[in-house]
Amino acid sequence: MRSSQLRDRYKDFYLRREPAVFPNEALIRIFLGSYPNLHLDREFSYRGKRFCDVGFGDGRNFHLLNFLGADLFGTEVHPDIVEHVKLHLAQRGVNAELRDGFNHALPFSDNSMDFLISWNSCYYIGQASSFEEILGEYARLLKPGGVFIFSVPQKSNFIFENAREIAPGYVTIKQDPYDGIRNGEIMRRFACEAELRDCLRGCFHVHALTDSYTNYFGEIHAHFFGVAINR
């Protein structure tokens, strides 16, 4: 499937929805929680730092980032999604510089961000040659020592049901339950945590990594959540 068709699917999906105001729970925990292996708010300052949300979707996480006092930036794959979310944020007094772009081609300059969030988006390969190419683009955007916060689905996640492997670690989605919007999308799938760590180490130092498993009434949401530091 051509990338333009997938972009139009995402546009239609998000423009039918009212942008959300409730951020992802795991991100709240990462930024504000205190745990034995992670207490990010003690280690890093948020206020006035430049945060880029790559693949911001309906814009839900900007409300959290605005609460943290961050300067907000973000990308989505279609300009209509960008304008839709930009209007929603402006109506609520939230300022953000949003642009259309892709995982492998982000529309911001080198070393321009303190934090980069890729929540349920970094593993979408799109027109990139590999997952490593995407990580390299993220590292380009981040300042040295910048923080990369991410989630990727585990092999048991619902999105991979009946997916077709096209190369080791890469699959084509075949059975997306959300209106089939991601059917035809190529994604990176990790067999285990060690494989994910191995991919990350070329550009990043893994600061914290954990897994999460929830069965939402028959739909499996299994992920790796991570914080990594740009080298």
Side-chain angles (χ1 to χ4, degrees):
M1 178 178 293
R2 299 201 313 271
S3 60
S4 60
Q5 292 176 298
L6 287 168
R7 289 174 68 233
D8 287 340
R9 282 188 184 179
Y10 291 123
K11 178 199 72 172
D12 294 341
F13 179 78
Y14 283 116
L15 265 59
R16 289 198 305 266
R17 299 160 60 97
E18 179 70 18
V21 297
F22 302 108
N24 183 276
E25 179 186 351
L27 278 178
I28 297 174
R29 292 179 177 276
I30 287 172
F31 281 116
L32 297 175
S34 182
Y35 302 100
N37 297 325
L38 183 69
H39 32 79
L40 205 64
D41 62 337
R42 297 184 196 173
E43 300 175 67
F44 297 94
S45 171
Y46 303 146
R47 186 161 298 277
K49 297 300 175 66
R50 294 165 63 92
F51 280 60
C52 185
D53 189 354
V54 176
F56 56 73
D58 55 18
R60 65 183 59 208
N61 295 321
F62 286 124
H63 298 281
L64 168 64
L65 304 181
N66 187 60
F67 171 80
L68 297 178
D71 295 337
L72 307 182
F73 302 83
T75 66
E76 255 302 341
V77 297
H78 200 287
D80 288 357
I81 304 174
V82 169
E83 293 305 316
H84 184 57
V85 172
K86 189 182 295 184
L87 176 61
H88 162 80
L89 293 175
Q91 290 171 342
R92 287 156 179 80
V94 177
N95 296 315
E97 185 174 335
L98 309 182
R99 302 178 184 178
D100 57 298
F102 303 92
N103 270 334
H104 69 290
L106 297 172
F108 296 104
S109 59
D110 296 1
N111 305 321
S112 59
M113 299 296 164
D114 299 291
F115 289 77
L116 188 150
I117 300 162
S118 184
W119 205 256
N120 290 332
S121 60
C122 63
Y123 50 90
Y124 287 69
I125 300 303
Q127 300 302 302
S129 61
S130 65
F131 182 71
E132 286 78 4
E133 180 186 352
I134 291 168
L135 292 180
E137 179 67 353
Y138 288 3
R140 178 190 69 79
L141 213 66
L142 279 168
K143 298 175 183 179
V147 183
F148 171 37
I149 297 172
F150 62 91
S151 69
V152 298
Q154 297 183 37
K155 193 172 183 178
S156 60
N157 194 283
F158 74 91
I159 193 60
F160 294 134
E161 187 169 354
N162 294 324
R164 180 172 66 90
E165 187 170 59
I166 58 174
Y170 294 88
V171 299
T172 300
I173 301 305
K174 293 293 186 182
Q175 196 171 320
D176 182 3
Y178 292 94
D179 299 330
I181 184 175
R182 290 168 290 190
N183 289 345
E185 185 79 74
I186 297 173
M187 294 184 181
R188 180 66 165 92
R189 183 173 68 182
F190 295 94
C192 60
E193 180 180 318
E195 184 182 5
L196 174 58
R197 285 181 177 272
D198 188 56
C199 282
L200 289 165
R201 69 165 51 101
C203 297
F204 297 95
H205 163 69
V206 177
H207 184 68
L209 188 61
T210 192
D211 56 41
S212 172
Y213 178 95
T214 305
N215 184 335
Y216 287 112
F217 308 101
E219 185 173 276
I220 305 301
H221 288 244
H223 292 85
F224 295 113
F225 299 152
V227 177
I229 309 301
N230 196 25
R231 292 188 183 279

